[in-house]
């Protein structure tokens, strides 16, 4: 096997940047193959001809499984492992060596445009489900790439924003899901995010990439950058950033070689990273498996997964529907489904089932009315009148509403949590015409539901993937159980989201003043009543839970405790239930959310069946991160474990005593859940509030939007838009994403994404011109030795 140390320095350095947009560098003369990397979390996006990281160009057909939001709502690790394995099989068929997922960023605010690609607002649920998905993928001999490490919780300003987060929140929320996946599932690779955290760019943070990831958690794989996330090659390599993606066409290789030769960069850093690229190439499959994608079987799995992730939010007995009744099927999404989000995760599906086709196929008596034009926001009265008439004449009305693609996508965040006005108007009108109405929601993140008391049932189908239409019909007709429980809070108002005042922050800084109080952690602590709480979801059958018992009543800080209880299906249909265990720390040693998820179990039972479930609550569940001591500490004293159906529906409480551990709060004690004042936030950070990095003078990191006020900037913006042509008939979501991505691109992307046609020296010239320094600009064009000889002004 080739060893990095046996290769010349230039070849080692070449390995540290991609060969092109999707491959690692090959060295054919010594038998090192290039590895094909492909998005994305819920199916593959292998581009045969064009290459882009925002989902513009066509990709080869692959099964579009339900996106993360839907898979996560199943709370079912076995299901995620099964989907992971199926993605792994497809990866083998298409010759993919590493699947770029799962997306693991926490849903700090439901406005994040990429929420659909992330699993949950809770780190325990995120970590466990991601670990299952990774195990499924890697079980097929293909690598996974959990992303985006770390604190990439918004799309706005993702290339320049610096997330200011206190250390305890960072450890307990944002890093802990990654920690779990690394320790438990041992992913082959991990992806460094675009943004900065506490002043350090993720792609050049030694602390994140080496000290925490490798030295503390034992990561032994390869770190690759998000596409275009590397801002400094030399610093990045020194920090542990192994592989820059995509290729920067060798533009910075000379800098790296010079740095080694000048003694600024340890040659061992280069060879260690190069060795990791070689190790990846050695373990990744060399060529396609030669087997076809099992289209029908994977479509069936996608359909089952979509039903398992569908959450029955409310039901006054209308669901499942009577198969003999007539149905008014309303909503253009029944014909033009919303089934995945836009951006780099966009899969070209092998098939696509619509609700309308699936319902008609079942022989149901269906009258269809579009109700709205999916490309517009404002209500169309004619379409609404037609829908109302259809609803009036039918036994039941099924209304599909949700978020059009233009509302949620990679590249930008939502402006608000409302549905398009026409969707709200339609629901009000149809419910008034026929009280026997079911609303089916198709969206990738929580929305406000002002009419939620009106329909007899609400089914949150999320984005169901290619077979989502069939899954919705399966659930409506009771052929499948809506197996989901919310993996995120549906707030009653946007103001109920604790992060709201600080989201998405300023372009160059976002402050996490809500600290630990994200999602249900805030709702249960503040006592605000969500529209639908985290963990909520109804079933078509009924379950009885027995008395829970704990393996011990007194534990030490190193002990796990097992909660056991019997779950019985007391109804007449098969169904699934999720037993949730939350910890309530009664010691008062540190400020903590009132309730935090520490364990769960999904159980499927036939009618009349009963089973004892055992939920292991690990020692970490009781610990907090002590910033001063740089480690995990457990408060001594009384804790409750709350056995619950959701974050607000506690069924039983088990009292526990931690017999050792700490009794005093770390100094200074933190007492305000939301650090609203500057002083409180600075105290929590343990340092003065940093000022956002200045926008001027412009640098390679400045974004197109930041330089657009200058003439040169406008020219650059125009050139970039030309380079990213968008077809006339493209949907609004894609158009918006391309425009926002172009505006938010840092100037250094011109080097990487022009495949080296724009050299760094030319870029620097432009930047000096942008800064109004024509002489410096001109000097940049001098040959390298002359340029170096003259000091910079
Ligand atoms: C996204 C990543 C993705 C990459 C490659 C980036 O824009 O943030 O999630 O894997 O592109 O398409």
């Amino acid at each position: 096997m080739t060893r990095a140390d046996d290769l010349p320095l230039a070849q080692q350095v070449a390995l540290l940047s991609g060969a092109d947009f999707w491959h690692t560098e090959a060295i054919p003369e010594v038998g090192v193959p290039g590895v094909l990397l492909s998005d994305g979390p819920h199916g593959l996006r292998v581009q045969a001809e064009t290459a882009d990281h925002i989902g513009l160009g066509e990709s080869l057909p692959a099964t579009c499984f339900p996106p993360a939001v839907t898979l996560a709502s199943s709370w079912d690790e076995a299901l995620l492992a099964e989907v992971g394995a199926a993605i792994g099989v497809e990866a083998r068929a298409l010759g993919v060596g590493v699947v770029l997922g799962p997306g693991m960023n926490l849903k700090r605010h439901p406005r994040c445009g990429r929420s659909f690609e992330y699993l949950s607002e809770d780190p325990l649920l995120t970590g466990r489900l991601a670990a299952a998905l990774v195990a499924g993928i890697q079980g097929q001999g293909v690598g996974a790439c959990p992303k985006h490490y770390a604190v990439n919780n918004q799309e706005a300003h993702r290339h320049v924003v610096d997330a200011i987060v206190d250390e305890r929140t960072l450890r307990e929320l944002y890093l802990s899901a990654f920690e779990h996946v690394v320790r438990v599932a041992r992913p082959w690779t991990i992806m460094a995010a675009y943004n900065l955290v506490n002043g350090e760019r993720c792609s050049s943070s030694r602390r994140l990439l080496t000290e925490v990831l490798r030295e503390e958690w034992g990561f032994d794989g390869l770190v690759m950058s998000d596409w275009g996330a590397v801002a400094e090659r030399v610093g990045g390599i020194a920090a542990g950033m192994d592989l820059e993606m995509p290729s920067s066409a060798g533009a910075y290789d000379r800098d790296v070689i010079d740095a080694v030769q000048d003694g600024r960069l340890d040659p061992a850093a280069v060879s260690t990273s190069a060795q990791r690229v070689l190790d990846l190439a050695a373990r990744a499959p060399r060529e396609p498996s030669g087997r076809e994608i099992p289209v029908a079987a994977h479509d069936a799995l996608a359909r089952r997964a979509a039903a398992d992730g569908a959450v029955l939010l409310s039901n006054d007995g209308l669901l499942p529907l009577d198969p003999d009744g007539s149905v008014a099927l309303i909503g253009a999404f029944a014909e033009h489904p919303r089934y995945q989000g836009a951006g780099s995760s966009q899969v070209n599906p092998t098939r696509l089932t619509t609700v309308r086709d699936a319902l008609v196929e079942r022989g149901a008596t269906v009258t269809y009315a579009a109700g709205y034009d999916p490309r517009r926001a404002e209500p169309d009265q004619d379409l609404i009148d037609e829908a109302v008439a259809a609803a009036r004449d039918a036994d039941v009305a099924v209304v599909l509403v949700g978020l059009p693609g233009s509302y949620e996508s990679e590249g930008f965040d939502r402006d608000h949590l409302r549905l398009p006005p026409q969707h709200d108007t339609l629901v009000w009108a149809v419910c008034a015409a026929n009280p026997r109405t079911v609303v089916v929601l198709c969206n990738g993140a929580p929305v406000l539901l002002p009419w939620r008391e009106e329909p007899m049932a609400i089914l949150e189908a999320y984005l169901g993937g290619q077979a989502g239409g069939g899954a919705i019909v399966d659930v409506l007709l009771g052929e499948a159980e809506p197996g989901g429980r919310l993996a995120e809070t549906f707030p009653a108002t946007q103001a109920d989201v604790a992060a709201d005042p600080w989201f998405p922050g300023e372009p160059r800084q976002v402050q996490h003043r809500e600290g630990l109080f994200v999602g249900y952690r805030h709702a249960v602590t503040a006592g605000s009543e969500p529209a639908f709480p985290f963990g909520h979801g109804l079933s078509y059958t009924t379950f009885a839970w027995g008395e829970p018992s704990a393996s011990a009543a007194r534990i030490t800080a190193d002990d796990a405790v097992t909660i056991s209880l019997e779950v019985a299906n007391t109804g007449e249909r098969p169904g699934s239930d999720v037993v949730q265990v939350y910890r309530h720390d009664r010691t008062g040693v540190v400020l903590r959310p009132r309730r935090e998820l520490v364990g769960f179990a999904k159980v499927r039972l036939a009618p009349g069946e009963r089973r004892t479930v055992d939920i292991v609550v690990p020692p970490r569940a009781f610990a907090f991160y002590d910033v001063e001591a740089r480690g995990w500490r457990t408060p001594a004293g009384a804790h409750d474990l709350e056995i619950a159906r959701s974050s607000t529906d506690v069924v039983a409480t088990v009292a526990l005593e931690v017999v050792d551990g700490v009794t005093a709060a770390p100094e200074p004690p933190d007492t305000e859940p939301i650090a609203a004042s500057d002083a409180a936030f600075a105290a929590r950070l343990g340092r003065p509030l940093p000022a956002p990095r200045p926008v001027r003078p412009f640098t390679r990191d400045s974004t197109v939007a930041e330089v657009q006020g200058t003439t040169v900037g406008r020219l650059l913006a125009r050139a970039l838009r030309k380079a990213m042509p968008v077809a006339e008939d493209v949907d609004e979501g894609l158009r918006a994403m391309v425009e926002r991505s172009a505006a938010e691109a840092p100037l250094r992307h011109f080097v990487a994404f022009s495949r080296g046609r724009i050299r760094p020296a030319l870029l620097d010239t432009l930047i000096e011109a942008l800064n109004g320094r024509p002489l410096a600009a001109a000097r940049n064009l001098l040959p390298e030795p002359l340029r170096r000889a003259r000091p910079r002004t």
Side-chain angles (χ1 to χ4, degrees):
M1 204 182 103
T2 312
R3 306 291 317 159
D5 287 329
D6 299 336
L7 299 173
L9 178 62
Q11 216 160 30
Q12 292 181 26
V13 171
L15 282 173
L16 306 191
S17 175
D20 57 24
F21 216 81
W22 297 121
H23 292 87
T24 63
E25 195 70 55
I27 316 178
E29 57 278 22
V30 288
V32 175
V35 179
L36 173 60
L37 317 169
S38 168
D39 290 307
H42 65 276
L44 298 171
R45 187 172 70 95
V46 177
Q47 292 184 308
E49 280 159 22
T50 51
D52 69 81
H53 63 305
I54 49 176
L56 267 180
E58 270 288 282
S59 55
L60 300 176
T63 308
C64 177
F65 291 97
V69 61
T70 319
L71 288 178
S73 308
S74 71
W75 291 58
D76 188 346
E77 290 159 290
L79 177 74
L80 273 93
E82 209 180 334
V83 170
I87 292 174
V89 165
E90 298 198 12
R92 293 298 295 255
L94 298 177
V96 170
V98 177
V99 177
L100 303 176
M104 297 189 58
N105 297 106
L106 294 195
K107 306 186 195 207
R108 174 184 180 226
H109 196 305
R111 274 176 56 202
C112 171
R114 225 173 161 179
S115 272
F116 60 84
E117 252 192 89
Y118 300 140
L119 292 156
S120 174
E121 67 189 24
D122 180 83
L124 178 104
L125 189 56
T126 297
R128 280 185 44 183
L129 296 176
L133 202 71
V134 169
I137 295 171
Q138 296 196 162
Q140 298 304 314
V142 174
C145 183
K147 63 190 187 184
H148 310 88
Y149 179 67
V151 206
N152 181 179
N153 307 97
Q154 63 189 59
E155 289 300 284
H157 324 302
R158 60 178 172 163
H159 294 286
V160 288
V161 77
D162 182 7
I164 306 297
V165 202
D166 68 274
E167 183 68 12
R168 210 185 132 200
T169 303
L170 189 64
R171 294 292 190 151
E172 292 184 25
L173 289 192
Y174 297 104
L175 296 188
S176 83
F178 284 104
E179 176 176 3
H180 183 85
V181 86
V182 165
R183 286 189 194 273
V184 173
R186 306 196 51 173
W188 292 11
T189 71
I190 202 161
M191 188 187 288
Y194 285 128
N195 51 288
L196 297 86
V197 178
N198 292 327
E200 278 191 333
R201 192 169 278 285
C202 293
S203 61
S204 41
S205 165
R206 188 177 158 74
R207 176 154 187 265
L208 282 177
L209 302 183
T210 297
E211 290 166 17
V212 173
L213 182 64
R214 293 188 189 278
E215 293 168 9
E216 282 187 35
W217 303 344
F219 178 68
D220 59 2
L222 166 135
V223 178
M224 73 176 83
S225 73
D226 198 345
W227 266 233
V230 170
E232 24 161 11
R233 281 300 300 287
V234 174
I237 294 167
M241 175 71 256
D242 301 315
L243 173 65
E244 175 199 39
M245 283 307 293
S247 157
S248 50
Y252 304 108
D253 286 8
R254 188 69 249 166
D255 293 353
V256 179
I257 294 169
D258 287 352
V260 171
Q261 286 168 349
D262 297 353
R264 282 175 291 127
L265 179 62
D266 183 353
V270 173
S271 64
T272 304
S273 290
Q275 187 59 50
R276 292 184 188 131
V277 178
L278 294 173
D279 291 345
L280 179 69
R283 80 204 292 205
R286 288 196 161 221
E287 40 207 45
S289 62
R291 296 208 194 99
E292 299 274 302
I293 290 179
V295 171
H298 285 184
D299 189 64
L301 171 59
R303 185 165 181 155
R304 174 154 58 83
D308 277 343
V311 186
L312 186 57
L313 293 178
S314 65
N315 187 15
D316 276 352
L318 186 59
L319 289 180
L321 296 177
D322 169 3
D324 298 327
S326 61
V327 178
L329 179 64
I330 296 166
F333 286 167
E335 259 198 335
H336 306 283
R338 190 70 226 301
Y339 64 99
Q340 64 174 333
S344 60
S345 69
Q346 200 156 314
V347 177
N348 177 11
T350 56
R351 293 179 176 175
L352 189 58
T353 315
T354 69
V355 171
R356 187 175 185 183
D357 287 348
L359 204 54
V360 170
E361 203 175 275
R362 263 353 123 70
T365 314
V366 181
T367 316
Y368 169 73
Y372 50 85
D373 177 342
R375 290 160 309 179
R376 292 181 34 181
E378 290 313 312
D380 178 325
Q381 201 51 48
D382 292 344
L383 292 178
I384 291 177
D385 291 346
E386 189 197 343
V388 163
R392 218 174 259 140
D393 292 344
D395 293 327
V396 287
V398 173
V399 190
L400 276 86
V401 290
L403 294 175
S406 56
Y407 272 61
E408 51 180 355
S409 163
E410 179 174 345
F412 59 88
D413 299 315
R414 278 187 292 161
D415 294 333
H416 55 75
L417 299 182
R418 295 187 298 279
L419 291 173
Q422 54 173 4
H423 290 220
D424 283 333
T425 312
L426 179 69
V427 174
W428 287 110
V430 171
C431 290
N434 187 343
R436 291 167 59 76
T437 292
V438 185
V439 173
V440 179
L441 291 166
C442 301
N443 47 299
V447 288
L448 300 181
L449 305 168
W451 37 256
R452 63 184 179 278
E453 302 299 335
E454 303 302 313
M456 279 182 72
I458 306 176
L459 177 67
E460 173 52 270
Y462 281 120
L463 305 176
Q466 67 179 46
I472 289 173
V473 172
D474 294 343
V475 171
L476 290 176
L477 297 180
E479 283 163 27
E481 154 93 348
R485 304 289 183 270
L486 293 178
E488 57 193 0
T489 304
F490 270 52
T493 70
Q494 187 173 319
D496 288 345
V497 180
D500 197 55
W502 303 284
F503 184 92
E506 296 177 46
R508 289 190 165 222
Q509 188 184 78
V510 55
Q511 301 180 350
H512 284 241
R513 293 204 182 202
E514 75 288 355
L516 295 167
F517 295 87
V518 169
Y520 72 88
R521 285 172 163 74
H522 173 60
V524 294
T525 310
S528 69
E529 205 177 307
F532 294 103
F534 174 86
H536 169 76
L538 306 174
S539 168
Y540 285 162
T541 184
T542 47
F543 295 97
W545 290 6
E547 264 311 297
S549 65
S551 55
R554 290 161 61 78
I555 54 170
T556 72
D558 297 328
D559 292 337
V561 57
T562 303
I563 298 290
S564 305
L565 81 159
E566 192 182 69
V567 180
N569 180 347
T570 50
E572 262 140 43
R573 293 168 164 275
S576 61
D577 205 3
V578 178
V579 181
Q580 302 163 35
V581 180
Y582 295 85
R583 182 249 305 124
H584 173 201
D585 179 345
R586 305 176 70 89
T587 66
V589 170
V590 281
L591 173 72
R592 284 187 131 168
R594 164 66 179 76
R595 193 168 283 149
E596 293 186 275
L597 186 74
V598 291
F600 65 92
K602 171 111 176 178
V603 50
R604 290 169 195 281
L605 295 172
E609 193 183 347
R610 50 187 63 231
R611 194 176 313 146
T612 297
V613 299
D614 296 318
I615 298 172
V616 179
V617 179
R620 175 64 74 81
F622 300 95
F624 68 94
Y625 190 81
D626 185 335
V627 179
E628 247 335 86
R630 292 172 170 236
W632 296 88
R633 301 277 173 270
T634 301
H639 293 76
D640 287 342
L641 289 180
E642 299 178 318
I643 324 301
R645 293 189 191 280
S646 79
S647 57
T648 59
D649 185 3
V650 173
V651 175
T653 301
V654 173
L656 279 180
E657 183 79 16
V658 175
V659 293
D660 53 1
V662 293
T663 48
E667 288 296 327
D670 191 355
T671 50
E672 273 178 58
I674 312 290
S677 69
D678 288 359
F681 191 46
R684 183 173 284 172
L685 291 173
R687 60 195 157 104
L689 216 62
R693 296 177 336 286
V695 170
R696 279 178 185 262
F698 299 126
T699 66
R700 291 178 183 180
D701 279 339
S702 301
T703 64
V704 170
E706 285 170 343
V707 302
Q708 226 163 4
T710 65
T711 316
V712 181
R714 272 190 295 278
L715 289 174
L716 275 174
R718 206 174 304 153
L720 190 62
R721 268 198 299 273
K722 262 202 177 148
M724 298 167 99
V726 184
E728 275 299 305
D729 56 346
V730 97
D731 76 77
E732 275 177 63
L734 195 56
R735 182 179 305 281
M737 184 189 48
V738 171
E739 276 163 16
R740 295 286 276 271
S741 301
E744 297 214 348
L747 299 180
R748 60 187 152 75
H749 279 189
F750 282 87
V751 175
F753 293 172
S754 71
R755 303 210 171 87
R757 281 193 291 273
I758 297 178
R759 308 294 301 171
L762 176 59
L763 182 68
D764 290 342
T765 306
L766 287 170
I767 292 169
E768 295 294 18
L770 285 166
N771 284 325
R773 306 188 337 162
L775 284 180
R779 197 187 46 245
N780 263 316
L781 292 177
L782 293 175
E784 180 71 20
L786 288 178
R787 210 181 334 147
R788 282 179 171 218
R790 303 175 57 159
R792 282 178 168 251
T793 48

